[in-house]
Amino acid sequence: MARRKKLTKVVFGVLLGVLISQFSSREECKQPKPAPRVAPAAPAHNLVFVGVMTAARYLDSRAKAVYDTWGRRVPGKVMFFSSEDSYSEDVPLVALPGVDDTYPPQKKSFMMLKHMYDHYIDQYEWFLRADDDVYVRTDRLEELLRSIDSKKPWFIGQTGRGNTEEFGMLSLESDENFCMGGPGVIFSRETLKRMAPYVDECLANLYTTHEDVELGRCVRRFAGISCTWSYEASDCDCEMQVILYHNQSGQAAFSGDLKQKEVHRAITLHPVKQPQYMYRLDKYVKALKIQNYQQETIDLHRGIASAMAELGYRIDHLQEVSLVEGLRLFPEERGSEGYLGDTSLLGLPQSLTRQKPTTLDDVLDWEFISKSLYSYKDLNPRRRIGSSLKEGLGDVVRDIMELINSYSKQRGRVIDFKEILYGYWRLDPVHGVDLILDLLLVYRKYRGHKMTVQVRRHAYVQQTFTGISVREVKNFDFPHISQRPSSTQAVPVHRKIVNQIISTFEQIPPIFHSDNVTKKETINFILPLSGRHEIFKRFLKMYEEVCIKQSEETRLFVILYTEKVEDFNRSSVLIENIQRKYSSSGVSVVTVNETFTRARALEHGLKLLAHDDLTLFIDVDIVFDTKSLLRIRQNTVKDKSIYFPIVYSLYNPKLLNKSYPLDDYAFFNSAIVDEDNGFWRQFGFGIVSLYKSDYVTLGGLNLLISGWGSEDVTFYDEAIKSKLKIVRSVDPSLIHVYHSIDCDINLDVFQRNMCLGTQASMLGSLKQLQKLYKKYEYLFKNLGTW
Ligand SMILES: *[C@@H]1O[C@H](CO)[C@@H](O)[C@H](O)[C@H]1NC(C)=O
Ligand SMILES: *[C@@H]1O[C@H](CO)[C@@H](O)[C@H](O)[C@H]1NC(C)=O
Ligand SMILES: *[C@@H]1O[C@H](CO)[C@@H](O)[C@H](O)[C@H]1NC(C)=O
Ligand SMILES: *[C@@H]1O[C@H](CO)[C@@H](O)[C@H](O)[C@H]1NC(C)=O
Ligand SMILES: *[C@@H]1O[C@H](CO)[C@@H](O)[C@H](O)[C@H]1NC(C)=O
């Protein structure tokens, strides 16, 4: 299809670095990490050999997902082990001779270990037996393995003993256990050396059908060790359950919210049953890593800033500083690829007083958080804590708790979060977010004098905004997420540029315009019309000026109702005139001789369109300009997104003591969008732009609704529930001109209330109504209570 637009899109990413500055908590987090145990440092490429057990039918799904994500980052080697006849072009594969894909995979497991032993025992220090539904954070795995002496026999995993009933059937001695297979089992070279030569003997003496139990029994018998409770002497039995994390929810595991402390603390995560969740988890883990690097960057910039301050340099002049003649502190220019970023922004020391107000306007006020949000910024002084703030608080609390607990093991205690008792927050675009939180925590000491107490701690948290990164993506149809951009360029931009970007936003659309290689998509207006001749005259004049004269790719379908004969006649004449005036006006009319309902009218129009046509449902009261057309094309994508613009609705001019030149559309084009003139019609969904095919897929409008429509709301509901993306945004050049509406007394209660609500909301702003009331207060005196 030639429809694909070659557009240049600009994607803005705002990167937020999270920093936690100080805790009033008396726990100090400064204690250095314990030195890792001395282990002979293996080069990264032969630290660990990972054997992933899979099956022929999972080679191009699960196995491929493993190899596409963490598999390639193993500090060593990864191989996949499957049945005899397996073949794959996607992953490095060993098809084990004499092994099939039956479950349980005892033979596969033992033969895999034998293969590792036969071919790789001298090359790797560690051996990991993994399943194809496990995710491994390879950097953390490396950290863990390098802290343990691999010369000793180790058999590391999450310990299992089976439940009480099972225990008897597993034929384990009372001092025996096994490492549960799912989340991964780690062998040191010594362990594999001792056990692998006896694989055949173990296979010949299976007591149960559990692969991991038999593995444990074999290791116990020939290597003389059992599954390690914990790799370091710790009083916390849960250690391995934390770092080798198994989630109980089966198929659903890791398919939902990943922002969980279990996910953040783990080295391996199991089970990830669907490949798409493996990729998703991988993206999430990478994002966490990026966050850490950002934090590190900020710490380094702080270090540079404070060191340079000692030397007497001003923080906002570091860009030009030369350390010695000819050697600049920051050699690269801002905007170039090797540019090191903004110390003047990121190097700011943590402090709740880093912004010192000098005038009244500079003072940053706090909002108060408890069960609700108390704020002076909103008409409603107390309101629900919105989901964005809630999520932000959740993130911050998780970070705080990770920090507080990072030395838990050394201290023999864990601290759990209970709730935020209260807090303050404020947001400043330059300095970021400040938070003061009063936290209720539970302190559990499990070593020495054991105890559990509730404690309160104050946390002072600062989140600093990093610079903005702009990525320009060429030839990138943006809802096509799967499509890789052909060329990307990351340009770090200083925050001051934000203002420029915002002010040049208006100039960005020409980028879309300038691409005249492909034809602009035709917008098919469908305009239901019954009566309203004078207003239609204005509409048609506007259509002529904006669309016809400027050769816009548009067509207009007027669905003209005969109900009001006089208006019908005059409107018909107008349409005939314009059709005569322009050889290709693109204006057509459908005459309908029935009772008006908007939904039916739109359907009449849609019948004339092709399946792939882009359409806009419009009202005669709307005034628009070319910018709206641009936004309609940008925000509506076939099979992908539907655009529900929020129009700016003008108040009743009488209340404002104004009169509008109703026939002059240009007057409304320049209407000032402010709180006195009108309001965003947040609850209006009638103006929609979408492809006919998507309309059909969604089942269309409810044609049974007559009178004062709620069909648009119902349709919006359906659209939200569908797979399509909803683009819901204000459009400052879609203006709804005020007209009085009559709410039919015969409407049903729901429709009537909605109609009355709209009527009231269009009357005037709260301020205007208040003025009016004050002025005519005496008229209300005799009305009694209401
Ligand atoms: C783990 O399982 C629990 C309950 O079964 C569930 O609520 C949670 O969301 C799961 N965690 C992840 C990361 O999937
Ligand atoms: C696009 O149009 C401009 C003039 O409007 C013209 O100069 C330019 O060559 C055109 N580009 C292409 C690729 O046709
Ligand atoms: C409308 O036009 C028709 C013919 O076009 C004419 O017969 C009729 O009288 C007109 N009605 C009104 C109310 O003008
Ligand atoms: C509309 O239909 C009615 C009867 O169904 C007829 O009397 C009337 O003339 C029609 N009006 C037009 C304009 O066709
Ligand atoms: C409305 O405006 C006119 C002038 O435009 C002024 O004379 C009149 O007093 C105003 N009325 C009110 C109620 O403000």
Side-chain angles (χ1 to χ4, degrees), residues 245 247-249 252-258 260 263:
Y245 174 59
N247 190 289
Q248 305 284 356
S249 21
F254 307 104
S255 64
D257 190 8
L258 294 173
Q260 297 183 14
V263 175

Side-chain angles (χ1 to χ4, degrees), residues 344-360:
S344 58
L345 171 65
L346 303 177
L348 293 177
Q350 306 116 299
S351 150
L352 286 177
T353 54
R354 57 185 169 173
Q355 192 262 11
K356 284 220 174 60
T358 51
T359 69
L360 210 60

Side-chain angles (χ1 to χ4, degrees), residues 445-696:
K445 192 158 169 60
Y446 54 78
R447 202 187 295 148
H449 182 67
K450 293 190 170 66
M451 63 172 177
T452 300
V453 282
Q454 290 202 338
V455 289
R456 281 173 75 167
R457 286 283 180 269
H458 271 102
Y460 301 96
V461 180
Q462 278 186 336
Q463 293 176 292
T464 296
F465 295 127
T466 63
I468 278 184
S469 293
V470 177
R471 202 161 59 113
E472 193 175 332
V473 183
K474 293 214 171 85
N475 301 333
F476 184 50
D477 208 357
F478 86 126
H480 269 273
I481 292 159
S482 58
Q483 196 178 323
R484 292 247 168 81
S486 54
S487 72
T488 62
Q489 240 186 337
V491 186
V493 184
H494 188 262
R495 72 196 145 95
K496 277 179 191 150
I497 294 179
V498 175
N499 295 332
Q500 287 175 23
I501 289 174
I502 289 165
S503 63
T504 53
F505 239 110
E506 288 292 306
Q507 291 160 27
I508 290 176
I511 299 175
F512 304 93
H513 270 313
S514 70
D515 204 337
N516 43 10
V517 179
T518 46
K519 208 168 128 260
K520 268 195 257 167
E521 186 74 10
T522 301
I523 303 174
N524 295 282
F525 289 76
I526 301 184
L527 174 68
L529 186 63
S530 169
R532 319 285 317 272
H533 168 71
E534 288 303 324
I535 304 299
F536 178 62
K537 205 160 131 189
R538 176 186 73 208
F539 186 93
L540 205 59
K541 182 75 194 146
M542 168 181 70
Y543 185 82
E544 182 181 354
E545 296 294 332
V546 174
C547 299
I548 302 178
K549 285 197 179 162
Q550 303 194 37
S551 309
E552 278 286 350
E553 293 290 337
T554 60
R555 292 191 295 176
L556 172 63
F557 295 88
V558 182
I559 316 303
L560 190 57
Y561 279 69
T562 54
E563 295 174 310
K564 290 161 188 157
V565 185
E566 208 167 303
D567 277 9
F568 166 69
N569 273 11
R570 287 155 69 195
S571 294
S572 304
V573 171
L574 277 185
I575 295 171
E576 276 165 29
N577 285 347
I578 205 153
Q579 285 169 336
R580 219 172 296 129
K581 187 167 168 191
Y582 300 94
S583 58
S584 55
S585 66
V587 179
S588 351
V589 63
V590 181
T591 307
V592 183
N593 186 7
E594 59 188 35
T595 313
F596 177 82
T597 78
R598 188 164 181 271
R600 274 193 191 284
L602 292 170
E603 291 261 336
H604 283 303
L606 281 163
K607 273 186 214 140
L608 304 176
L609 299 186
H611 194 63
D612 285 342
D613 279 347
L614 168 62
T615 176
L616 174 74
F617 298 167
I618 196 155
D619 281 347
V620 74
D621 296 300
I622 300 285
V623 170
F624 64 86
D625 64 18
T626 38
K627 286 189 224 125
S628 313
L629 302 181
L630 182 68
R631 287 188 272 260
I632 285 162
R633 291 198 180 95
Q634 258 173 256
N635 292 323
T636 320
V637 182
K638 187 168 156 17
D639 300 333
K640 295 269 189 293
S641 71
I642 301 186
Y643 181 39
F644 286 90
I646 301 173
V647 304
Y648 182 69
S649 196
L650 297 175
Y651 286 132
N652 189 344
K654 274 195 195 139
L655 208 66
L656 298 166
N657 191 23
K658 283 184 187 170
S659 66
Y660 292 149
L662 274 182
D663 54 347
D664 179 7
Y665 79 92
F667 172 84
F668 297 105
N669 272 155
S670 53
I672 292 165
V673 173
D674 71 10
E675 61 179 9
D676 280 339
N677 281 328
F679 67 106
W680 294 110
R681 202 178 251 205
Q682 222 178 325
F683 300 106
F685 307 99
I687 312 302
V688 191
S689 119
L690 80 176
Y691 279 82
K692 181 179 172 183
S693 55
D694 290 331
Y695 176 87
V696 172

Side-chain angles (χ1 to χ4, degrees), residues 296-311:
E296 230 171 277
T297 309
I298 291 168
D299 289 343
L300 289 170
H301 277 291
R302 290 212 176 112
I304 294 170
S306 67
M308 295 306 282
E310 295 273 309
L311 294 173

Side-chain angles (χ1 to χ4, degrees), residues 94-117:
V94 177
L96 290 165
V99 172
D100 59 25
D101 282 336
T102 50
Y103 198 86
Q106 290 151 330
K107 191 164 183 198
K108 196 184 279 173
S109 168
F110 279 104
M111 295 319 286
M112 175 174 88
L113 290 171
K114 186 160 181 342
H115 183 97
M116 289 177 178
Y117 172 76

Side-chain angles (χ1 to χ4, degrees), residues 181 196 289 764:
K289 229 174 147 174

